[in-house]
Amino acid sequence: VNLKGTVLKPNMILPGANCKQKASTEEIAKKTLQCLKKNIPSDVPGVAFLSGGQSEVEATKNLNEINKINDSNFLITFSYGRGLQASALKEFGKNQENIENIQKAFNHRAKMNGLSSKGEWSEELEKEFAA
């Protein structure tokens, strides 16, 4: 395997669905980076996270925090299914003919995830771009 040509697609380190104690975004980011640095060879250039059962905003927020404190050699981005498409699918379910709203929902999520890939997302931008 050519490690320099590899992009891994793991999940973030998250508490289990039935866990009563919720982890902070900062704790999720720190534990996730700790796991990556401990277990992935440094020759691997990139990690593209799955949204792994998180809501769209949770996945964006956690990815953003990971990138804000990323002290590894890895380029960290997203490979979300639900974390990218859920809002667009909801709009589609409301009215399949309203292409504009469907595209607006998808474009918003793509923009927010793109910002989080650079550690530049914020809750203020989430609200601003959603309007």
Side-chain angles (χ1 to χ4, degrees):
V1 173
N2 177 1
L3 292 178
K4 292 181 180 184
T6 302
V7 175
L8 296 179
K9 289 179 60 173
N11 287 312
M12 296 173 194
I13 305 298
L14 302 167
N18 295 327
C19 182
K20 290 183 169 104
Q21 187 176 358
K22 298 299 177 194
S24 69
T25 302
E26 185 176 288
E27 185 178 7
I28 290 168
K30 286 180 180 179
K31 295 287 186 188
T32 300
L33 283 168
Q34 180 183 25
C35 182
L36 295 179
K37 292 187 294 187
K38 182 178 178 184
N39 294 291
I40 299 175
S42 60
D43 285 350
V44 171
V47 174
F49 280 108
L50 302 167
S51 51
Q54 301 175 77
S55 73
E56 291 172 313
V57 174
E58 286 173 326
T60 301
K61 186 176 185 178
N62 288 330
L63 179 62
N64 185 70
E65 188 66 25
I66 290 168
N67 276 303
K68 282 173 51 179
I69 65 172
N70 183 9
D71 60 352
S72 73
N73 294 326
F74 307 122
L75 296 174
I76 298 177
T77 190
F78 63 95
S79 179
Y80 296 164
R82 178 179 35 252
L84 181 61
Q85 302 167 9
S87 292
L89 289 171
K90 185 176 179 182
E91 288 298 321
F92 181 81
K94 288 180 191 175
N95 181 356
Q96 297 176 18
E97 304 299 320
N98 195 338
I99 304 300
E100 187 177 330
N101 278 358
I102 297 166
Q103 288 177 335
K104 182 179 177 185
F106 185 85
N107 290 341
H108 170 72
R109 196 76 262 136
K111 174 75 173 171
M112 296 299 100
N113 286 323
L115 290 169
S116 70
S117 290
K118 300 183 282 184
E120 297 175 359
W121 174 88
S122 70
E123 290 184 26
E124 293 78 28
L125 288 173
E126 183 78 40
K127 294 172 189 170
E128 178 183 327
F129 281 98

